[in-house]
Amino acid sequence: MKRPVQIWSLFCASRRRPGDISRIQQQRLERLVSHAKANSPFYRRLYQEISPANIDLSSLPPVTKPELMANFDAWGTDPRISLTDLRAFLSAESPPVTRFLDRYRVWTTSGTSGEPGIYLHDSRALSVYYDLIIFRAYPSWFSLGQLLELLRRGFRYTLIIATGGPYAGISNWEEVRQRLGRYSSVLSTLSLDEPLPELVRRLNEIQPIVLASYPSVLHLLAFEQAAGRLRIRPNMLTCTSEWLEPAVREQIERTFAPARLVELYGASEFPYIATSCRQNWLHINSDWVILEPVDRAGVPVEPGQPSHSVLLTNLANYVQPIIRYDLGDSITLRPDPCACGSRLPAMRVEGRRDEILTFSREDGSLVRLLPMALADQVEKTSGVRRYQIIKTTVNGLQVRLEVEPGREPHQVWDAVSRALTAHLCAQNLTRIDLSLSEELPHPDPRSGKFRMVWSQVKDQKP
């Protein structure tokens, strides 16, 4: 599809009837399945009894992250792709916009299953993702009057994000900066590794008009704003990657009023799955992605009911087909049309539920550790397969660690311990008892979800 036609179709899709969008989905699904069956050895075996014509999506077997990673070299449609070469590419610590084989963007993730994943995206898919955020999300977030106000105040857009690895968020951000060329200075990046006082100082200096980060970061900054240490007046706040609790949303919006908080739901498998509207519902970009809410047995869940998980199909990416992929999040589809007027299906999502951990310094002052910042220290350490970080005592932090096959566990733990200790010291926390658990990482026995960071003790209030 040529770029102008693609952009025009994005504008039209939110106004089309559900039946029209279903026909677009079906056409793109049949092309994707045909390509996957012809070019991916993994899907050729999986779909050997499937005809790519008139496909019933529910007849295709679901796939999981462990299954795809176990068949990695057979999964892709480019025979040059190998897991060994990709791991060497990732260990080289290339800039986030560097492409594997000079063609494919690479993103990594752990997610709610805790199993690490490596995902490649081709140029066609990247073009779709870019257009979804620029030509669909931003116009729905900013009115003409708001855009004029942003320009009048001097457009400054700041992102606070994990920068220590090939993640979708920082990679897409740097791509936009690169495209802006000499105007890229309007976009600034702050790392989660920075101590909170330094983040506050930098934000007071930058005075962002738009501030983007994770809900836990914005929540923490709301405390700083209320205390008077942070003094900024953004017009817009955006968040992603973590579940946004209604009470947290209310506190953030009340503190930074009249700024509006908008939400983006995405994953390394598809970075812009859904974006929020003015009614605070997430609208699925269903012309390019299919979501199927299912219960524990994989049976479809009716609108209005929360799912146990959700199956994702990426209709844009052909180099590494993702078809009926178990994403792990719980979603609830809205059963009636959204009052905002969009025809795209609306939903609520309940994903990663990590916690801010609170510790005391020697002088008695409190430090709040962001879960994404702690997770980043571990995820960027070579040899880690799965992990969990748990506050077990007032000054105790325990790590459950599973290493990649063939790696020496003690060496990986030493590297993880050094990274976490350096992060703690940067926050002036020198009395934390950091230890390695005898337990391996495992899902919550009640929910079946895989939490990364949480506290087993009652934290002091900020």
Side-chain angles (χ1 to χ4, degrees):
M1 181 185 296
K2 292 184 178 180
R3 187 78 181 281
V5 176
Q6 178 175 293
I7 294 171
W8 178 247
S9 73
L10 293 179
F11 280 117
C12 295
S14 61
R15 297 167 178 80
R16 286 189 169 124
R17 291 172 296 182
D20 295 333
I21 294 176
S22 295
R23 282 190 289 274
I24 292 172
Q25 281 185 342
Q26 185 66 24
Q27 292 167 1
R28 289 175 176 167
L29 175 66
E30 291 178 2
R31 287 197 292 266
L32 176 64
V33 170
S34 178
H35 179 82
K37 189 173 180 180
N39 297 281
S40 164
F42 170 78
Y43 280 106
R44 189 178 303 125
R45 292 193 302 269
L46 191 66
Y47 293 166
Q48 57 184 334
E49 303 298 329
I50 302 292
S51 169
N54 300 315
I55 290 173
D56 177 5
L57 182 63
S58 63
S59 71
L60 302 178
V63 296
T64 64
K65 186 189 301 181
E67 182 182 11
L68 293 177
M69 290 302 298
N71 294 275
F72 193 90
D73 290 0
W75 170 20
T77 60
D78 185 336
R80 297 174 298 168
I81 295 170
S82 76
L83 186 56
T84 300
D85 290 345
L86 259 172
R87 284 179 170 155
F89 171 80
L90 292 172
S91 66
E93 298 184 358
S94 303
V97 293
T98 304
R99 300 194 182 194
F100 180 66
L101 300 176
D102 294 324
R103 296 189 64 181
Y104 306 120
R105 186 75 62 74
V106 185
W107 298 328
T108 63
T109 188
S110 50
T112 53
S113 72
E115 184 76 17
I118 302 175
Y119 305 93
L120 290 90
H121 298 264
D122 55 34
S123 295
R124 178 176 182 272
L126 293 171
S127 174
V128 169
Y129 308 152
Y130 183 79
D131 289 346
L132 283 172
I133 192 69
I134 297 296
F135 298 106
R136 179 173 290 168
Y138 288 164
S140 71
W141 290 342
F142 299 104
S143 66
L144 179 59
Q146 286 174 318
L147 286 172
L148 292 175
E149 175 66 9
L150 294 179
L151 294 174
R152 186 190 68 79
R153 291 184 59 189
F155 188 78
R156 294 180 300 280
Y157 198 143
T158 298
L159 175 68
I160 305 175
I161 197 168
T163 58
Y167 309 131
I170 186 62
S171 180
N172 282 328
W173 181 256
E174 291 301 324
E175 169 98 354
V176 174
R177 282 174 53 85
Q178 193 176 72
R179 291 188 182 210
L180 286 175
R182 63 193 181 97
Y183 299 106
S184 63
S185 60
V186 300
L187 306 181
S188 55
T189 311
L190 299 180
S191 173
L192 280 182
D193 289 346
E194 297 282 358
L196 181 60
E198 178 62 14
L199 285 178
V200 169
R201 185 192 70 78
R202 293 288 306 280
L203 288 171
N204 284 334
E205 181 181 272
I206 296 169
Q207 287 295 310
I209 304 302
V210 181
L211 177 61
S213 194
Y214 313 107
S216 59
V217 175
L218 297 179
H219 192 200
L220 200 54
L221 291 175
F223 285 114
E224 297 298 300
Q225 182 88 353
R229 292 182 290 271
L230 181 63
R231 299 175 298 278
I232 58 176
R233 295 187 304 112
N235 280 39
M236 183 77 73
L237 303 164
T238 73
C239 66
T240 188
S241 295
E242 296 172 333
W243 183 56
L244 179 60
E245 298 181 59
V248 171
R249 170 188 282 278
E250 193 275 333
Q251 183 174 0
I252 293 170
E253 290 190 320
R254 183 177 67 249
T255 303
F256 290 103
R260 180 168 162 248
L261 175 60
V262 297
E263 190 178 357
L264 172 70
Y265 173 52
S268 293
E269 296 85 348
F270 194 104
Y272 303 125
I273 296 171
T275 53
S276 64
C277 68
R278 293 185 176 275
Q279 302 296 318
N280 293 331
W281 283 87
L282 286 163
H283 286 269
I284 304 167
N285 291 312
S286 56
D287 45 343
W288 284 108
V289 63
I290 302 174
L291 293 186
E292 301 172 77
V294 294
D295 63 16
R296 285 181 180 270
V299 176
V301 172
E302 292 297 316
Q305 299 297 316
S307 71
H308 172 71
S309 186
V310 61
L311 305 181
L312 178 147
T313 297
N314 182 333
L315 298 171
N317 190 23
Y318 277 47
V319 66
Q320 230 182 18
I322 294 177
I323 306 170
R324 304 202 81 208
Y325 168 95
D326 191 336
L327 192 59
D329 290 340
S330 173
I331 72 168
T332 303
L333 291 177
R334 180 169 176 156
D336 57 341
C338 183
C340 77
S342 173
R343 298 290 187 91
L344 296 173
M347 67 173 184
R348 305 277 195 216
V349 63
E350 194 172 314
R352 190 162 167 166
R353 280 196 172 199
D354 295 332
E355 298 177 10
I356 294 174
L357 304 184
T358 305
F359 288 96
S360 296
R361 296 190 180 105
E362 290 187 16
D363 63 4
S365 61
L366 298 182
V367 179
R368 304 169 199 94
L369 298 178
L370 294 164
M372 294 294 286
L374 289 169
D376 185 44
Q377 307 308 312
V378 182
E379 290 183 3
K380 67 186 180 185
T381 303
S382 177
V384 173
R385 183 173 185 180
R386 295 197 303 171
Y387 67 92
Q388 290 171 313
I389 304 170
I390 309 145
K391 180 179 178 181
T392 52
T393 64
V394 172
N395 286 311
L397 201 59
Q398 192 174 84
V399 180
R400 296 175 185 168
L401 190 64
E402 180 181 346
V403 304
E404 293 175 349
R407 302 300 296 266
E408 172 54 51
H410 291 295
Q411 291 179 357
V412 176
W413 166 242
D414 285 345
V416 168
S417 178
R418 287 195 300 271
L420 285 172
T421 299
H423 181 71
L424 294 171
C425 288
Q427 319 298 320
N428 291 324
L429 290 171
T430 57
R431 299 186 304 157
I432 304 301
D433 179 19
L434 184 63
S435 63
L436 177 64
S437 174
E438 294 183 358
E439 288 186 76
L440 288 175
H442 57 78
D444 184 286
R446 289 174 297 177
S447 69
K449 302 298 183 183
F450 192 94
R451 300 176 74 192
M452 302 291 192
V453 183
W454 74 94
S455 177
Q456 292 179 343
V457 298
K458 187 176 182 180
D459 281 340
Q460 294 171 266
K461 293 296 181 182

